[in-house]
Amino acid sequence: MTDQHTPTSHIPGPPVSRWWGCGPELRRDTLGFLLQCQSYGDVVKLPMGRVIELFLRQPDAAMYLLNHPADVKHVLVTNQDNYRKGPVPPVESRIFGQGVLHTEGDTHHAQRRLFLPFFHGNHVTTYSSLITDTARTRVAQWHDGMTIDIGQDMAHLTLSVIWRLLFGEDMRSDTGLIRDSISAGQRLIKLQYDSLLASLIPLWIPIPRHRRFTRGFNLIEKTIIQLIRDRQRSSEHRNDVLSLLLAAQDDDGHPLSEREIRDELMTFLLAGHETTANALTWTWLLLSQDQLVWERLVFELKGVLGDRLPDAADLPRLRYLKMIWDESLRLYPPAWSLHTRLAQGEDRLPSGAMLPLGSWALISPWSLHRNSRWFPDPSRFDPERFSDEATRARPVYAYIPFGAGGRRCLGESFAELEGLLILATIASKVRLRLDDGRTIHPRPGMTLHPKTPIQMTVQRVGLPKTYPVVA
Ligand code: HEM
């Protein structure tokens, strides 16, 4: 990179409103705006505007979008101690509490130490049959010619899986109700991120969106607390996150409080279901639009599995499946933007830019993954980009669907196992066709999801395409 340094005042950026900063552009077309910003260079200054400056009492408050993998590595890994997560809107704190997603320093390290062995690649493979059984049950409900909303189906499927991972049993309440409650919470979080005004209205003021959130949130919270108490009473040990938390002790040998256990369970429930559901939904869409890729995948599945269900031991040989999964996460990373990082001290990035104390580093997998320097013709779906050779040829931090460094996704191995096994189970049984030729655009909420529902028609593999007419 460079030995020269670029002072903050010289970091380029798009023209923005003096009062509202980059807010209006980001709200109007978030994803398009992030891509446009690539043309300003490796580090792009996005002023927050006078209103936020007054609110934060911070002159020249700005976010700095990082477009170069070396700067991304520096902030997330090499000099990660200089950065903390930026502030979160009130509803997000209410939902996640002191769960691992939002803590910092020693507390965060202790939480990761507790979870890392459980979420390690070797341990999560014990969940293989749970995943394939759940996927097989769902696909068995699809009949030939049926139209499904693939996003809904994937969300139900991944919710059932994460529930079993957390609580070791099937969901007692209605899956649809829990899903709707989670969605209401996520919509409110997104709104509070987008609008300072929305985040200033206290949650107890009973406007419709607060009422919807509180109703759904109370339902989930009550269910989780009940499950914690039932397990405490029975003292049964299961291979699930709840048992792990009940057995855990802090540094002084005290067990975790009910509140701490609830915060972690809530965190995993929300962090670990819609992300994977969206990754799967986008993958089905991409596959349905590329017949050659789909056929090559089916060929690989037949060769490795024959007619049986996949399990974790098959995955090293399902190489093309993994390339498809990686390419789908490149084009549509569910975590389209990482949580902003707040600089605790002035920092010089490898690209030469000087980030001042209190500045916000913005890292967007969406934008990084669609940078033509590392991914030529970036909007084209091409699993070959993830052949060993192509992967070796580009910088590691050009591709970060699971983040990096000390806050890298804890559920990465589980998400990958789940994604690959669900894809393999379903693609061995059915072919999914897009009902019409509409272009499906992504929408950036808490995760990157399709703007409109994706309707697909199921075609069972192995059945004749047309049935003989019996006279
Ligand atoms: C395809 C699916 C998934 C994607 C793309 C994804 C992506 C991410 C990313 C990018 C981060 C880092 C955020 C940041 O640095 O600001 C993260 C953190 C996290 N993820 Fe995932 N995730 C996925 C699935 C899961 C699953 C299945 C679980 C749980 C079983 C999970 C649990 C977590 C947790 C607890 C954190 C916080 C880690 C920390 O701050 O120390 N994720 N995820």
Side-chain angles (χ1 to χ4, degrees):
M1 301 235 51
T2 177
D3 286 339
Q4 295 179 334
H5 84 258
T6 315
T8 317
S9 54
H10 289 61
I11 296 178
V16 295
S17 145
R18 179 70 197 102
W19 282 95
W20 303 106
C22 58
E25 272 76 13
L26 268 176
R27 272 192 296 278
R28 198 172 306 125
D29 173 16
T30 314
L31 300 174
F33 180 65
L34 289 172
L35 296 185
Q36 279 161 28
C37 282
Q38 289 178 1
S39 62
Y40 292 93
D42 289 338
V43 181
V44 182
K45 183 172 180 181
L46 301 173
M48 294 187 195
R50 287 284 292 153
V51 174
I52 303 265
E53 283 173 12
L54 291 170
F55 182 74
L56 296 176
R57 293 202 198 94
Q58 184 185 339
D60 201 25
M63 288 192 285
Y64 295 85
L65 176 67
L66 308 188
N67 286 325
H68 198 289
D71 289 345
V72 169
K73 179 180 178 194
H74 179 84
V75 169
L76 295 181
V77 185
T78 325
N79 199 22
Q80 57 180 300
D81 289 344
N82 186 47
Y83 294 88
R84 296 168 74 88
K85 283 191 167 186
V88 294
V91 66
E92 194 165 334
S93 310
R94 171 84 181 89
I95 295 176
F96 296 106
Q98 290 298 299
V100 60
L101 197 63
H102 287 317
T103 49
E104 296 281 351
D106 290 347
T107 311
H108 180 247
H109 289 150
Q111 286 165 308
R112 282 192 73 102
R113 269 200 308 278
L114 171 66
F115 291 123
L116 276 170
F118 187 92
F119 284 100
H120 187 272
N122 285 338
H123 180 254
V124 296
T125 57
T126 55
Y127 288 96
S128 298
S129 50
L130 157 71
I131 296 167
T132 40
D133 285 348
T134 317
R136 192 188 44 179
T137 310
R138 181 138 292 260
V139 86
Q141 293 161 1
W142 298 345
H143 56 76
D144 203 39
M146 179 178 179
T147 300
I148 53 171
D149 175 338
I150 190 70
Q152 283 296 331
D153 264 80
M154 291 302 110
H156 282 271
L157 183 50
T158 57
L159 182 56
S160 307
V161 171
I162 191 85
W163 198 270
R164 291 284 302 267
L165 177 80
L166 298 180
F167 305 110
E169 62 179 47
D170 288 333
M171 209 177 282
R172 297 179 196 173
S173 335
D174 181 327
T175 324
L177 267 180
I178 300 276
R179 270 276 316 137
D180 293 347
S181 307
I182 293 176
S183 300
Q186 287 175 325
R187 277 198 304 276
L188 190 56
I189 295 178
K190 175 74 170 90
L191 183 76
Q192 292 198 343
Y193 266 112
D194 284 352
S195 154
L196 178 63
L197 182 65
S199 69
L200 291 176
I201 307 175
L203 278 173
W204 53 263
I205 297 194
I207 51 179
R209 59 172 180 265
H210 288 179
R211 282 212 307 269
R212 249 190 326 272
F213 162 72
T214 310
R215 223 179 11 249
F217 183 70
N218 287 346
L219 167 77
I220 302 181
E221 194 161 50
K222 225 173 86 197
T223 311
I224 290 181
I225 299 285
Q226 190 59 50
L227 285 159
I228 298 174
R229 291 183 184 165
D230 286 355
R231 184 73 62 86
Q232 270 167 332
R233 260 196 305 275
S234 75
S235 356
E236 181 195 354
H237 185 89
R238 296 185 191 169
N239 180 20
D240 59 17
V241 178
L242 176 53
S243 282
L244 174 80
L245 290 163
L246 284 169
Q249 294 181 338
D250 64 18
D251 289 342
D252 304 322
H254 298 125
L256 304 187
S257 67
E258 184 175 278
R259 176 81 209 174
E260 287 169 319
I261 296 177
R262 167 248 175 256
D263 288 353
E264 302 295 10
L265 291 168
M266 192 68 96
T267 299
F268 280 103
L269 182 62
L270 269 84
H273 115 265
E274 200 171 276
T275 37
T276 319
N278 281 324
L280 285 161
T281 303
W282 290 116
T283 311
W284 292 122
L285 177 72
L286 291 164
L287 283 172
S288 75
Q289 291 169 331
D290 196 319
Q291 198 170 335
L292 285 179
V293 173
W294 191 302
E295 269 158 21
R296 193 170 150 194
L297 171 64
V298 171
F299 183 74
E300 181 180 82
L301 292 172
K302 275 261 159 253
V304 174
L305 303 174
D307 283 332
R308 65 180 173 80
L309 284 174
D311 91 19
D314 297 313
L315 295 180
R317 284 190 300 147
L318 294 173
R319 184 70 195 100
Y320 194 57
L321 174 69
K322 171 77 163 77
M323 286 159 67
I324 292 171
W325 169 253
D326 287 343
E327 173 67 344
S328 169
L329 286 175
R330 179 189 73 82
L331 275 170
Y332 298 105
W336 58 276
S337 169
L338 302 190
H339 205 119
T340 44
R341 303 300 207 262
L342 206 53
Q344 304 302 296
E346 190 183 50
D347 191 19
R348 183 179 177 284
L349 301 181
S351 63
M354 211 46 149
L355 292 193
L357 161 80
S359 55
W360 305 39
L362 177 61
I363 298 174
S364 161
W366 160 268
S367 167
L368 271 175
H369 294 180
R370 287 181 180 243
N371 193 319
S372 56
R373 270 191 289 178
W374 328 113
F375 298 101
D377 193 3
S379 50
R380 195 163 57 87
F381 173 55
D382 179 9
E384 292 301 327
R385 296 181 203 269
F386 288 90
S387 67
D388 291 342
E389 197 187 352
T391 304
R392 268 197 305 273
R394 63 177 171 257
V396 173
Y397 293 88
Y399 179 70
I400 51 159
F402 293 98
R407 303 213 74 117
R408 192 179 176 118
C409 177
L410 267 168
E412 176 175 356
S413 300
F414 186 78
E416 188 172 298
L417 178 80
E418 185 184 6
L420 296 179
L421 289 178
I422 289 177
L423 287 170
T425 306
I426 295 182
S428 310
K429 303 259 177 256
V430 297
R431 176 121 195 200
L432 296 170
R433 296 191 185 280
L434 197 59
D435 272 2
D436 53 35
R438 265 179 319 140
T439 310
I440 311 275
H441 295 285
R443 171 177 279 169
M446 280 295 286
T447 57
L448 191 67
H449 56 90
K451 214 176 236 174
T452 45
I454 304 180
Q455 306 288 346
M456 289 188 148
T457 302
V458 175
Q459 185 190 325
R460 294 204 77 90
V461 176
L463 286 176
K465 286 196 180 114
T466 50
Y467 293 97
V469 180
V470 181

